[in-house]
Amino acid sequence: MVCTWLSMAPLAMAQADDAAEADPIAQLAQADKDLKQIQASLDDADTRDTLKTLSDRALAVQRDADAARNTLQPQLDQMDARVAQLGVVPEGTVEARDIALQRKALNQQRSDIASAIARAKLLAGDAKQLGTDIEKMRVSQFSEELARKVNSPLSPSLWKQFATHVPADYGRLVSLYRQGESTPRKAIAEHGWAAPVTGLVLALLMFFPLRLWLRAAGRRYAASERAPDGRLRRSGLAVWLLAVGTLLPGFAAVVLVAALASIGAIPPRLEQLAQHFQVATFVAAFIAALSACLLVPKRPSWRLLTLDDTAAWRLRKYAWGAAGLTWLSILLVEINRASRTSAITTVAVDGLIAITYMALIIAILVSLARLHRRQTDEAQAKLDAQADSGAKPKAPPRRSGWIVIARLAGHVVVAAAVIATLLGYLNFALFVAQQLVWGSVVLLAASLLLKFADDLSTWVLSPTSRVGQGIVLTTGLTESRVEQAGVLLSAVLRVGVIVLAVLALAAPFGNLNAFYSGLDSLSGGLKIGETVLKPSSVLYAVLAFLAVWAVMQAFQNWLTETYLPKTELDAGARNSISTVTRYLGIITAVLWGLTALGIGFEKLALVVSALSVGIGFGLQAITQNFVSGLILLAERPVKIGDWVKLGDQEGDIKRISVRSTEIQVGDKSTLIVPNSELITKTIRNMTMGNAQGRIQIQFSLPLSTDVAAVRQILLDSYAEHVAVLSDPAPSVFIDSIANGQIAINSFAYVSGPRAVYGVRSDLYFAMLQKFAAAGIALSSPTDIHLVRDPTAPPQPEA
């Protein structure tokens, strides 16, 4: 699948380049001519291959018309701009002659370009419709071929007819052989053996020594310490073996055919056979290499499928059989076509191929059934051994899901193919058998590529890999974010593999021109209003956004880690600058990406104004918090590290963002407060402006207490504590004298509000000790209880 898409990519790019360099008017004329030729040839198309060729040509006409339109559209825009520069002629005035002539010439040129664009649109639409009609004809012919019924292979009449046509068909094959033998002999006699021998030697070198050496080199690297750790070792080696085993035999066939074609050794009737020989070699090599990298009979530890050695060896032999049968069937069908044998011989050959495929599938199903029985017996033996030993039996192992599905699908397909063969529907039987083999190959290849895509993505964007560490160091992203990027990349690659697998499964049912036409439409862009969103523009916009965001992220890291710590700004100011820089970077990256996408600032302003009503009502709270956050970062009424009190909650500010502020309260929990609360409500900032902490100590004494001694004890306690400031000096006051009590009130100051609680506790301890030593008693509140005398006589009731 990958090789097919890679081989198509240069052709598509070459077509795009040629379309861009061609004259659009001449290109439209040639496209119109080609479309008429296709319509004329459609009546003589009697095979699906011919229809496929016509469908490809129709798609090429559509691409040429679209390319011409895309080339002419900027010219039309330029003409409109030049005409607009001339302005509108006011009524009642006569325009200067030279300007009038220029306006007339521009209008004529604009009319010609607009007419050509309209012609290109019409031509593209006609080509698209013609391609759709051809595709319908191909589907109809395909259905007719599958539903075509011949005599059953069990019917003697079929073989009687075959025997009757054998001499004539044998003569046709001999004639084709003589032509294929005489043409190379004449070419070699004229040009010599140099080219064929060189091609043969290169093909043999690629097929045997180079292929085997590259396989061994891949195994050595996978077993060395230089190979990446984890699952990528196995899946990477499997993909390497698949690529080497597919490409080298296929390229060997290409080199051999090219060497013969270079001296004209391939007759015209065998040119299609030579092309099918190359395709068959690639397909057969792919099947054989896929089985080798998945089964790995000689190295069970590297095996990706849950199979034992016996099943792996047997399935490996059957895979070789499937590869050889596929290669042989492709060549037999093409030889039959090139020799122009009779229809009955074609039926016989198709029937023989279908029976061989069914025999191969039955053999594979038998091997899978034996594997299933062995796994079941081994699981039961383990359970019996655990039961005999008295240990708690473990749950039986799960059966391999793909084996169950393969067996079920195989039985259904074989039954359908056998019934169709016996009834005489040989084309249907052959198609079903081939699609089962091809579908199995595609699904196994897709499963391998899915594993490889996941392993490669998670390894490349792993924090422990070189690429992951480089991303973490350069962009400042966390390791978890890098891992998330790896998971996203894996998802994208896996979706691509699934799409390729679906296309490969659908390819035998018809050509993929409809899909390619959809890709062309997608590459043309999606028009939204006056803006056309093209995939290339979207990709460029994403790259521009990531580049600007990475630069701004690096600048913010430098600002936060290098520059700001060298300044005299406090932590809150540094956080405000860092936060504002971060959001400015995001806004800059978004605007840059939109500009790269083709959405200018004036269009963005229109969008914002259109959404302003919705933002005003639906997102009012979010907008209010956002604006409040900007005010907090700018005015800084509170900053990081401040001790604030909001309502009945108080704590330290740990983080200020544009939406909310995080406050850590006394129990170490975090209080998240919307920024609008800090702007619209009253908040007490305990540490704003280097505020000092004030200690207040209050108590009551009896009237008989020596208040002078009490005052001195308090002042001495304040002076002895190192945390109490001497300026402002501590003070002691008599607050009141009432009810036989003296109320004392004293104040002292410390460096900050955070030290108040601890220093006050220390002062209480020291004060109580000194009062006890001096014999000074503190007053306690009077507790009055009314108790009834139990000996008193009861009062008479009134």
Side-chain angles (χ1 to χ4, degrees), residues 180 245 401 498 510 561 628 682:
I498 293 174
E561 304 294 337
S628 299
T682 302

Side-chain angles (χ1 to χ4, degrees), residues 127-168:
K128 183 177 181 180
Q129 183 61 40
L130 181 61
T132 303
D133 295 339
I134 295 175
E135 185 63 23
K136 292 179 180 179
M137 295 176 63
R138 290 188 71 246
V139 173
S140 177
Q141 285 193 5
F142 178 69
S143 301
E144 292 177 359
E145 289 179 3
L146 291 182
R148 186 178 302 162
K149 183 180 179 181
V150 297
N151 292 329
S152 172
L154 301 178
S155 174
S157 61
L158 175 65
W159 301 109
K160 288 181 180 179
Q161 296 177 8
F162 175 72
T164 303
H165 290 81
V166 164

